[in-house]
Amino acid sequence: MRALVQTVSRASVTVDGTIVGKIEDGLLVLVGVTHDDTPTKAAELARKTWELRVLDDRSAADLGAPLLVVSQFTLYGDARKGRRPSWSAAAPAEVAEPLIEEYVKALRARGATVETGRFRAHMLVESVNVGPCTVLLEL
């Protein structure tokens, strides 16, 4: 699994003109799943995300900062050959969706306030990055 974590002053996800997830002063987390990922990896990635010290050397856990989690299969895009990325390293939706749900569940079990995008929807993701600070976590 991969998570691209960004510090934001605000972020939201809109689907069909309706805001489905929105946070202020927290973390926007884009999460990608590959073929060999497991619920155990999802839980470990959630722990790392929650405890990542990127908010003025403090973590979301320390501050109770909210997270907006958006599934992002393109984190496994491979553009090393040619100009058209290959998505073959990304897990299919029927594998990825339950693991994204497990990731969110693990964050909430740790006390996180989590908003989400909508899986398999065309999402408009807006964010105002702080810093900016962007970190790639990978398991």
Side-chain angles (χ1 to χ4, degrees), residues 5-129:
V5 180
Q6 297 179 313
T7 55
V8 297
S9 62
R10 64 181 181 273
S12 64
V13 177
T14 302
V15 176
D16 295 329
T18 301
I19 295 175
V20 298
K22 177 180 173 182
I23 64 163
E24 292 185 3
D25 298 320
L27 301 176
L28 171 60
V29 187
L30 307 176
V31 181
V33 177
T34 194
H35 302 281
D36 63 351
D37 287 332
T38 64
T40 301
K41 284 186 178 181
E44 176 61 12
L45 188 63
R47 183 197 64 76
K48 287 184 78 157
T49 305
W50 185 231
E51 295 175 359
L52 186 65
R53 296 175 62 145
V54 292
L55 297 164
D56 292 327
D57 202 31
R58 296 174 75 193
S59 68
D62 294 335
L63 299 172
L67 296 92
L68 176 58
V69 175
V70 179
S71 102
Q72 187 74 33
F73 77 92
T74 61
L75 287 176
Y76 278 99
D78 183 353
R80 289 178 289 183
K81 296 179 182 176
R83 296 176 292 147
R84 182 175 295 149
S86 167
W87 311 116
S88 63
E94 43 288 338
V95 172
E97 186 171 12
L99 289 172
I100 299 288
E101 289 171 0
E102 189 65 33
Y103 174 80
V104 169
K105 179 180 164 187
L107 283 167
R108 288 179 174 148
R110 292 182 169 278
T113 299
V114 183
E115 294 284 318
T116 64
R118 188 170 299 153
F119 205 87
R120 296 189 191 193
H122 180 76
M123 297 179 277
L124 299 177
V125 180
E126 294 184 83
S127 67
V128 177
N129 295 9

